[in-house]
């Protein structure tokens, strides 16, 4: 839902950082969206799977932009 709303305002953006919190009942809460997501926090995870996935999305987005 957030991405659909963001696309209305920023139709050319291909990636957003979405900050989401989860309360004590397991309900997700949207906090904010960023046009330039900061992935540095993911470097502190012992399992780099998510960091590598994000980097791949960034590479694919850059490649797609270059092709257009």
């Amino acid at each position: 839902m957030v991405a659909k709303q963001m696309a209305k305002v920023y139709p050319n953006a291909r990636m957003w950082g979405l900050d989401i919190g989860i309360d004590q009942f397991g309900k997700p809460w949207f906090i904010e969206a960023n046009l330039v997501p900061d992935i540095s926090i993911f470097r502190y995870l012992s399992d780099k799977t998510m960091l590598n996935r994000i980097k791949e999305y960034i590479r694919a987005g850059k490649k797609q932009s270059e092709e257009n």
Side-chain angles (χ1 to χ4, degrees):
M1 290 176 8
V2 173
K4 286 182 182 180
Q5 292 300 315
M6 293 288 291
K8 292 177 184 178
V9 180
Y10 302 101
N12 296 322
R14 295 290 174 246
M15 184 178 297
W16 300 287
L18 301 179
D19 295 346
I20 299 170
I22 300 176
D23 68 18
Q24 67 270 27
F25 305 106
K27 181 178 179 181
W29 291 84
F30 170 71
I31 299 169
E32 68 175 348
N34 303 288
L35 286 173
V36 182
D38 181 11
I39 66 169
S40 64
I41 194 72
F42 292 96
R43 292 187 176 103
Y44 295 101
L45 296 173
S46 56
D47 180 353
K48 303 295 186 218
T49 303
M50 187 57 64
L51 176 62
N52 293 332
R53 183 178 297 170
I54 293 168
K55 287 180 177 181
E56 182 56 37
Y57 289 149
I58 292 170
R59 283 191 291 271
K62 286 180 181 178
K63 182 178 178 183
Q64 185 179 18
S65 293
E66 291 170 357
E67 292 173 354
N68 293 333

